[in-house]
Amino acid sequence: MLKTLKFRTPQWVHFGFGTAGEVGPEAKRLGAGRVLVLSGPNVAASGTMDPIFDSLKEQKLDYAHFDQVEEEPTIPNFYEALKVAKEGDFEVFVGVGGGSSMDLTKMVAALMVNEGKLEDYWGIDMVPQRGRPSILVTTTAGTGAEATRISVFADKEAGTKKVISAWNILADVAIVDPGLTVTMPSKVTADTGMDAFIHALESYLAKGSNPITENMSVDAIERIAHNLGPAYADGANLEARYNVSLASLLAGITLNNSGVGVMHALSFPIGVELGLTHGPALTVIMEATMRSLSVAQPKKFKAVAEAFGVDTNGLDPWEASEAAVDAMVMLSESVGCPTTLSEVGADRARFPEWAEGAYANRRLLDNTCRNLSVEDIVEILEESL
Ligand SMILES: [Fe+2]
């Protein structure tokens, strides 16, 4: 198809060992007098952030540290951070951590300029102006949040997650330093790595994919296929960490530009109701979803099989698709992620409601390569048992 396309990333992306030290020079370039660094309490205590603070000191920048970002930030947690930001009238915002800290930082920077409340901005492109400059530094390899325009909050009162998707909250600078991921526990490595894999996979298959993102997606799939196991088995394997971090960044970029699909729509109720982290909430439905979608994109499934190293010579498109799905299930199993809904105690009585909820998420369902009815989605869930 002769598609037109647009493509956007943070203005600057730094990738590689030692790039956490770019925080200071970048903050200076962005005009900082005063810098507010935001993170969760654990990463702050671990020493992971030392190179960031050192680089700010080297540039003689005045900075403060808000270290109370929650794991799944709530709306009150956001206002706590915003109060600190406004009282100090900080000029540049540095979010350090997994998706939570980076997502919260995007909106704190935005609300330093935009009027109103956080709750005014739920939905798509509701943020009218860019905020104050932001630098996002990831300490995991999976969410891709450093490269996306998305910010997610837990709405405890409504018992749901609220999403802001707005081009005006895309960071000015994204920094991915694989050195910050070497202390990640193996379970977190697996969970976040499978999330990154599925960002690459879903955005590759998505209706919104384009030649730029398709190339990046396949590259990310290949890197994760060959490096997630080694990074899981030995966190100090620097080459594996490098490749998984790069794949996560690429997958964040493809997610941001081409979107994801039905698996992410289904993962929200599954994660909340079964108390699963995001990666396993996806891997439990991966096999059945991918078998269902393969009919729509046989050529792409063949490319996925090849990215895993499968010799597809002599295989017909159906055999190649089966091989691709088998390989991704083996990857998930090899890093200890669950691959069926039975393993995580799902109750099939909940399937119709989950399917209705996913079906209603038109942003994701309209981007999925196969048109799925509510009944089709129930079938995927049944097949996932
Ligand atoms: Fe995800």
Side-chain angles (χ1 to χ4, degrees), residues 195 199 264 278 282:
D195 184 28
H199 292 159
H264 269 79
H278 183 54
L282 290 159

Side-chain angles (χ1 to χ4, degrees), residues 142-144 194-196 198-199 202 255 260 264 267-268 278-279 282:
T143 67
M194 287 308 296
D195 184 28
I198 290 164
H199 292 159
E202 280 211 293
L255 154 73
V260 284
H264 269 79
S267 75
F268 300 132
H278 183 54
L282 290 159

